[in-house]
Amino acid sequence: MTGVEAVVRSDAALLEDDLAEFLGSLTAPARAAASVYDAALRRALYEPVADAVGSRIGQQALPPAAGAPGGRAPLRPSMVYWAYRNYRGFPEGAERAADFAVIRRTAVAVRILLKAAVALDDIQDGSVVRYGEPALHTTHGAPLALNTGAWLIMSALRHAADPAVVDSLVRSVGDGFTGQAVDLSSRTALTRAELTAAPRATRVDFWESTAALKTGTLFWMPLDAAVAGLRVVEDDRQALDGAMRQLGLASQLFNDLTDFVPELGGANIHEDFDGLGNRVFLELLDDAPPGGDFKPYVLGHPKLRRTLLALAEEAVALKRAAKDAVHGVCRSERSAAYFDVTIERKGHLIDRLLTTVRQRSGA
């Protein structure tokens, strides 16, 4: 284990400890249920909150490592902590107490918001399983899952505390809901008709605008909140903003392509074929039958393999461009290595996807 990885693991373990403390403070009343009201509150709020926050759903974790911080459990590094290490340094000495406290609270708030987004997204998409775990609404019902997601958003913003961080997170939440709304509209008859009739450039612009808000925000939110809390200079903030939105587009391309190469993302094959949010569909609509079933049309399209290859190459190019942009603002080689360890937990799958598509296409 390298010195940089040790710091990544130590920061990630601290985040897990802080998250457990946060969860304990929220659910403490559930352990002292002395009345019918208390028992109802435990079942209707604290238990769903505990399930949502305790879920292992999310990016791939670092595997356990003997003798390492948090070595007995998988750890999920945070881009929030990368920002601190980049702009405030590695822990040879004492941490900068005030800044480190802001970062610790920000990292917890970001994780809670991501958990809330999963709970709400699964309701909207009708997903019963995500990465092998039952969706919250299947175990507690849609009304309680909806209430839990909203309550977690409120709790996360309150926990962040720092005004600049809260302002960043509020904008991220708004962007995420905006992107989700447009994505959901791609399943409506009117938007489907408009997309089918539109030229390819318009369809791609629709996809990019939606993905930048819906998926790009998941990458942008942690970093922007962290650099806001650290009062990072605007030029770096803008560079990181652009890089994270590129990573978001790369990630959404990966998600769309795994409908056709499902083993890479653990997705159910063809699960998103009921809407027109999938980039592959939008690339191939020029000769689509009006109002017809797009699934057999796309699966039998003569340009399907060529399109999958082109989009897989685009995803890799976007990821590399994003990494180059972040490396451009890294203050040290150790910071660049920290970022790579963090982002390549999923990033390596984007490279594997291209290799797989190339093999299948005979390229």
Side-chain angles (χ1 to χ4, degrees), residues 80 97-107 160 162 165 225-226 229-231:
V80 174
D99 285 345
F100 202 54
V102 169
I103 286 299
R104 289 177 66 172
R105 296 181 72 87
T106 300
D162 183 275
V165 174
L230 296 172
R231 276 54 174 182

Side-chain angles (χ1 to χ4, degrees), residues 112-122 124 130 149 153 218:
I112 295 298
L113 286 173
L114 293 175
K115 298 295 187 180
V118 167
L120 298 177
D121 186 71
D122 283 342
Q124 293 169 322
R130 184 184 286 252
I153 292 172
L218 300 179

Side-chain angles (χ1 to χ4, degrees), residues 78-80 83 106 110 114 168-169 172 216-227:
S78 169
M79 295 299 292
V80 174
T106 300
V110 165
L114 293 175
S168 172
L169 293 177
S172 292
T217 296
L218 300 179
F219 290 86
W220 176 75
M221 176 176 66
L223 263 186
D224 192 74
V227 299

Side-chain angles (χ1 to χ4, degrees), residues 46-70:
Y46 296 131
E47 289 180 357
V49 165
D51 286 349
V53 175
S55 167
R56 306 312 297 175
I57 289 171
Q59 287 184 317
Q60 289 191 350
L62 293 173

Side-chain angles (χ1 to χ4, degrees), residues 199-209 279 282-283 314:
R200 176 188 174 278
T202 299
R203 299 194 301 265
V204 172
D205 179 70
F206 174 91
W207 179 89
E208 289 183 347
S209 298
R279 175 71 179 274
L282 296 174
E283 291 281 346
E314 182 178 337

Side-chain angles (χ1 to χ4, degrees), residues 59 77-84 219 222-223 226 244 247 326 338-339 342-343 345:
Q59 287 184 317
S78 169
M79 295 299 292
V80 174
Y81 276 91
W82 171 83
Y84 180 85
F219 290 86
L223 263 186
M244 292 304 101
L247 278 177
V326 173
Y338 192 121
F339 176 81
T342 301
I343 206 64
R345 287 172 299 135

Side-chain angles (χ1 to χ4, degrees), residues 209-291:
S209 298
T210 304
L213 291 172
K214 181 185 176 184
T215 311
T217 296
L218 300 179
F219 290 86
W220 176 75
M221 176 176 66
L223 263 186
D224 192 74
V227 299
L230 296 172
R231 276 54 174 182
V232 171
V233 295
E234 188 63 24
D235 285 350
D236 278 16
R237 192 171 179 178
Q238 291 294 331
L240 292 170
D241 181 357
M244 292 304 101
R245 294 195 184 279
Q246 286 179 309
L247 278 177
L249 293 179
S251 180
Q252 189 58 55
L253 278 174
F254 175 85
N255 293 341
D256 289 357
L257 289 168
T258 54
D259 273 351
F260 299 85
V261 191
E263 62 269 28
L264 267 297
N268 295 320
I269 191 165
H270 309 155
E271 68 174 354
D272 289 333
F273 280 20
D274 58 339
L276 287 184
N278 190 300
R279 175 71 179 274
V280 179
F281 271 39
L282 296 174
E283 291 281 346
L284 299 174
L285 281 181
D286 286 338
D287 302 315

